[in-house]
Amino acid sequence: MSGLPFIKMHGLGNDFVVLDARTTPIDLSVSQVQAMADRRTGAGCDQFIVMETAQHKDADVFMRIRNADGNEVEACGNATRCIARIVMDETGKSDVVVETVVGLLRASAGEKGNVCVNMGPARLNWDEIPTAEECDTLNMPVTVGPLEGPVGVNVGNPHAVYFVDDCEMVDLMAAGPHVETHPFFPERINVEVVSKLDGNRLRMRVWERGVGITQACGTGACATLVAAVRRGMIDGRKAEVILDGGSLTIEWLENGEILMTGPASRAFSGSFDPAVYPGQA
Ligand SMILES: N[C@H](CCC[C@H](N)C(=O)O)C(=O)O
């Protein structure tokens, strides 16, 4: 297999290697994805995204998502905006549909190059997060260091949202992996630490399942907003979520669906030969 072309993209610094498998199938092993995602041996990325031909008649493209650890996951908000941007640029359409393993995500072109994605419904029951046993997802029994009583939200992927006085002071590198792999979360979990700023502004930092600390997390911002509304921490159902890499506008609609608006940025193009990496497909 000769060089595989890819595009580097990012959403507020949460970065992606994007491959296009709509004409030629691409099958990469876990170790090949890990090597490509590694910032020393490969192009480096948080998630590895493969565009495939849509399976659903109403979708423009299928988006397959793999974390830097090589495992496939259900959702990636920042990448959804990036893939929507690619299809919008290809087709000239301002409204596109991105298909994922957990359903159809509708995206529309916003102002100043932003993209608005309907991320679908927030799932709040213990068995939808999922947790290992029944619990109140508004205050889950998982304490790690100074972090306690997170709110559980599933946005296609699982999130544990901890509210703290000052999220800048949390040693996320120390606590993150212990929450991610806690036995209470059978599918592991993404971890957010959140502080309320003035007005409807929330500051959030994230430890991502299968990756570690990232600059931004779209699904994490969605989970943060839903958790803040459920905890009565903001007025109404819309807020600005401020991440290390910038801010996203999130709104939790009365019908349960979540709108996420933010940028989708191209970085550079390149190519790589998977054959040079271990664990041939
Ligand atoms: N960065 C992504 C989240 C990836 C979540 C992934 N780490 C998982 O295992 O669910 C986002 O913008 O939503």
Side-chain angles (χ1 to χ4, degrees), residues 10-145:
H10 70 92
L12 300 177
N14 176 208
D15 65 344
F16 315 108
V17 165
V18 180
L19 295 176
D20 188 346
R22 288 175 291 182
T23 51
T24 311
I26 296 174
D27 179 19
L28 296 173
S29 66
V30 167
S31 57
Q32 285 175 314
V33 171
Q34 289 171 341
M36 255 315 281
D38 187 293
R39 298 188 189 280
R40 289 171 303 281
T41 61
C45 61
D46 295 327
Q47 277 84 27
F48 200 86
I49 306 295
V50 182
M51 298 167 69
E52 299 175 1
T53 302
Q55 294 158 22
H56 191 287
K57 65 178 177 54
D58 296 341
D60 294 287
V61 67
F62 184 95
M63 175 177 71
R64 198 162 303 275
I65 308 157
R66 296 174 73 170
N67 278 330
D69 68 0
N71 292 316
E72 183 171 350
V73 292
E74 312 89 342
C76 183
N78 287 320
T80 304
R81 297 197 313 277
C82 290
I83 298 305
R85 160 67 60 228
I86 290 175
V87 176
M88 287 173 184
D89 292 350
E90 285 177 345
T91 63
K93 291 163 59 174
S94 56
D95 296 293
V96 299
V97 178
V98 178
E99 182 182 7
T100 69
V101 292
V102 290
L104 301 183
L105 304 176
R106 300 179 190 286
S108 53
E111 293 163 12
K112 305 188 189 105
N114 281 335
V115 177
C116 177
V117 180
N118 183 325
M119 292 298 292
R123 302 167 182 90
L124 305 174
N125 297 329
W126 70 275
D127 56 355
E128 292 177 305
I129 303 304
T131 58
E133 57 193 66
E134 187 165 357
C135 72
D136 173 6
T137 59
L138 199 47
N139 191 348
M140 299 190 293
V142 179
T143 298
V144 171

Side-chain angles (χ1 to χ4, degrees), residues 242-261:
I242 298 151
L243 303 123
D244 291 353
S247 68
L248 293 170
T249 302
I250 313 292
E251 181 174 9
W252 188 20
L253 303 177
E254 294 290 349
N255 69 2
E257 296 179 338
I258 309 165
L259 298 184
M260 168 194 64
T261 303

